[in-house]
Amino acid sequence: MSIGALVVGIFFGVLFVRRQNHLEDPLLDLSLFKIRVYRGAMMLGLLVGTITGGSLLLVNLQLQMVEGLSPLKTGLWLVPGAIGTLLAIGLSTGLARTIRPAFLMAGGLLVSAAGYVLLSQVPSDDSLVMVVIGSILINAGLGPAVALGYAMIVGAAPPEKTGSASALSETSGEFGLAAGIAILGSIGTFVYRDELSVPAELSGEAATAARESIANAMAVAQELPDPVAGDLIGSARDAFTSGLNVVGALAAVLFIALAALAWQWFKHMPPTAEAESGGTDSGSEGAPSDDAAETAAQPQPVASTTAEPGPVRS
């Protein structure tokens, strides 16, 4: 059934794209992807959203299921990360006037990578401090990529296509978050099921339910006598934390790669103050239309916020 749905989806997706290519005023303007800066910023935003979407969901669950915090307390502990993003957005926008955007974006992504390294080392007990610090680093590091990347996307598009460029950026971001939850969430779940040790006293049905998710394991434990319940809860918390560790390590490697890509894609772009004064970059490559778009795409001060996955009720 799932394979059939995938085939049908791909079929209609191809039809949609073909139709858009022949419309004078398309809903999905694929010609925008011919602009190098737009293409690079869109791809970077999609990949960043994919990684952060899945990993921060696991952070929410770690605080609730492993640390035992309520959804409200979990949300409050994640507020510093959101504040870090806002501060980084404002700081990076100002610094971009004198520092190349590529340097700021790559540096920010390396800061996020450091946060993921922390998540890869989180223990299953007393993990609150490491998780919160990791979350702050991850979110603060995203600031330059969010602010400068969005400005590049909007600035690179022709004036008459700015709305389409912005809408496509928002859509790709949402798709990235959903894909990240599906992909990295599946990796975390796979590790959880592989690492979980179910007490021998559990029946087949209860054991199967416990292996489905840590939330199910906690629910099953409530119906067990204390010694067995304690063993199941401890094993479930250890297994889930192992999944978070694996995802954190994978995300750290990917963010280091994204930092290298951000530098490679945008290193030819000068600081915004230089661009505003009419400065040019002899290192620019590409078609004349790309050069014009790169000049227009210099990041300007923007008011932008990021949505961090909120507390999850199990």
Side-chain angles (χ1 to χ4, degrees):
M1 179 66 178
S2 58
I3 296 178
L6 179 62
V7 172
V8 171
I10 293 175
F11 173 75
F12 281 103
V14 171
L15 288 181
F16 174 76
V17 171
R18 288 175 60 87
R19 174 171 170 75
Q20 295 301 301
N21 281 331
H22 292 85
L23 293 178
E24 183 177 349
D25 187 19
L27 178 65
L28 177 63
D29 194 344
L30 297 178
S31 66
L32 291 171
F33 288 95
K34 296 178 181 179
I35 304 173
R36 179 175 53 173
V37 173
Y38 181 89
R39 184 172 63 246
M42 279 285 294
M43 183 61 66
L44 185 67
L46 175 64
L47 295 175
V48 166
T50 299
I51 300 170
T52 56
S55 59
L56 292 181
L57 173 66
L58 295 181
V59 166
N60 275 272
L61 291 173
Q62 176 77 15
L63 294 180
Q64 292 185 54
M65 298 288 100
V66 178
E67 286 298 310
L69 300 181
S70 67
L72 176 60
K73 290 183 178 180
T74 296
L76 292 176
W77 276 112
L78 294 178
V79 167
I83 295 175
T85 303
L86 296 176
L87 293 177
I89 287 175
L91 181 63
S92 61
T93 302
L95 291 176
R97 295 188 59 80
T98 55
I99 302 175
R100 286 178 180 267
F103 182 82
L104 295 173
M105 296 171 77
L109 293 173
L110 290 177
V111 171
S112 293
Y116 282 115
V117 170
L118 276 182
L119 292 187
S120 72
Q121 303 301 313
V122 166
S124 59
D125 56 337
D126 298 326
S127 64
L128 178 61
V129 174
M130 287 187 68
V131 170
V132 172
I133 294 176
S135 174
I136 292 173
L137 291 175
I138 292 169
N139 284 277
L142 295 177
V146 169
L148 305 181
Y150 183 77
M152 290 177 184
I153 289 172
V154 175
E160 68 275 10
K161 297 182 179 180
T162 299
S164 178
S166 178
L168 191 56
S169 172
E170 294 293 331
T171 301
S172 68
E174 294 296 330
F175 176 79
L177 289 174
I181 291 173
I183 297 172
L184 296 185
S186 296
I187 294 174
T189 300
F190 175 81
V191 175
Y192 166 81
R193 292 174 179 175
D194 185 64
E195 294 289 329
L196 181 66
S197 177
V198 178
E201 292 84 352
L202 261 66
S203 64
E205 184 177 344
T208 300
R211 288 192 179 94
E212 288 297 320
S213 68
I214 187 173
N216 284 359
M218 295 300 178
V220 170
Q222 293 179 359
E223 302 176 359
L224 299 174
D226 289 341
V228 180
D231 291 342
L232 178 60
I233 291 174
S235 178
R237 287 175 173 171
D238 290 343
F240 186 85
T241 302
S242 295
L244 177 63
N245 295 155
V246 170
V247 170
L250 176 60
V253 173
L254 292 175
F255 260 74
I256 292 173
L258 288 180
L261 288 176
W263 175 257
Q264 181 64 32
W265 288 341
F266 308 121
K267 64 183 179 181
H268 58 280
M269 299 183 67
T272 57
E274 181 180 334
E276 290 169 359
S277 64
T280 59
D281 190 339
S282 60
S284 296
E285 300 176 356
S289 60
D290 272 353
D291 295 336
E294 287 161 9
T295 301
Q298 296 301 321
Q300 302 296 325
V302 294
S304 177
T305 58
T306 54
E308 181 174 338
V312 177
R313 293 183 181 274
S314 301

